Structure formats: structure tokens, C-alpha cells
Amino acid sequence: MRIVTVVLFLAAIGLAFMAGYGLRPSAPSTSPYDPEYWPGSEAQIDDAYRRWSVKAGAPVDQVKGMWFPQLMFLPTRNQGIGLSCVKLRIERGAIGDSPVYCYDNDTMKLLAEYSDVE
């Protein structure tokens, strides 16, 4: 009788563990544009591509083929709710560095530009 009680107790613990595991929060989205992790917008990415294509003297399509957006959010203390930054990471093996464009969180207002990277 005692063995049956122990087995049932262990089975109940196992079921509770499995139920808790199933109820855990889901894994973060792998989308680079998930607003929970990056509150910027597609328009900010497009603007960064446009600005870099003008500075590099290349068509936007060519820039989009060689540079890939890396998204960052920088919280600020006294400047509102933060900065949404787009870093255009260059393809491996290419020559150059990565320009960074930082915008007011949910707007197209450019607050910082680090594009002297030729």
C-alpha cells in the first residue's frame, strides 16, 4: 500500500511539473521587428537605407542587398521614452563599416547619425 502511495505521489508531482512547463511564457519572437523588443518602425529602416544610399552614392536596392538592418532600442533618462536605432550591418567580406541612425522612438525624427564610416 505504501509503494502505491509513493508512486501516485510521484506521478502527481510529474503531472504538476509537466502542466507548469506547458504554461510557461512562450519564447520571444525571432522577428527582428517585434515591437515588444524594438518599438521602431519599418519606415525608420527604409529611411536609414535611403540615407545611406544617398551618402554611399548607390541605389537603394544595391544597399539593401549588401547591408542588413540590426535594430537597437536605447532607453534614455531625460529624453522621453528612448531611441530606436537602425544599424546597417555590412555583408561579411565587404569593405566598410556600419552606419547607425537613431530616431525618436515612434517617429521619423532623426536624433543621431553615425555615418562617417567610409
Side-chain angles (χ1 to χ4, degrees):
M1 183 70 175
R2 186 169 185 103
I3 293 176
V4 173
T5 305
V6 170
V7 169
L8 289 175
F9 180 73
L10 291 175
I13 289 175
L15 287 173
F17 177 75
M18 288 173 30
Y21 184 78
L23 295 176
R24 76 187 190 291
S26 62
S29 171
T30 57
S31 169
Y33 310 117
D34 188 346
E36 182 179 346
Y37 299 101
W38 187 71
S41 68
E42 287 281 340
Q44 290 173 345
I45 295 170
D46 291 339
D47 185 64
Y49 275 129
R50 183 191 56 77
R51 288 176 185 275
W52 183 243
S53 72
V54 168
K55 184 151 187 152
V60 174
D61 293 338
Q62 182 180 1
V63 169
K64 285 184 177 184
M66 293 183 65
W67 280 270
F68 304 95
Q70 183 176 4
L71 312 172
M72 300 170 276
F73 176 71
L74 304 173
T76 56
R77 266 191 200 162
N78 301 322
Q79 299 174 4
I81 56 175
L83 302 175
S84 298
C85 297
V86 179
K87 176 182 180 181
L88 298 178
R89 189 173 42 89
I90 197 162
E91 181 180 292
R92 283 185 169 223
I95 297 174
D97 204 354
S98 303
V100 178
Y101 300 94
C102 295
Y103 302 87
D104 191 18
N105 190 24
D106 285 328
T107 70
M108 293 303 296
K109 181 180 176 187
L110 185 68
L111 297 178
E113 177 179 346
Y114 307 97
S115 64
D116 293 330
V117 295
E118 296 91 357

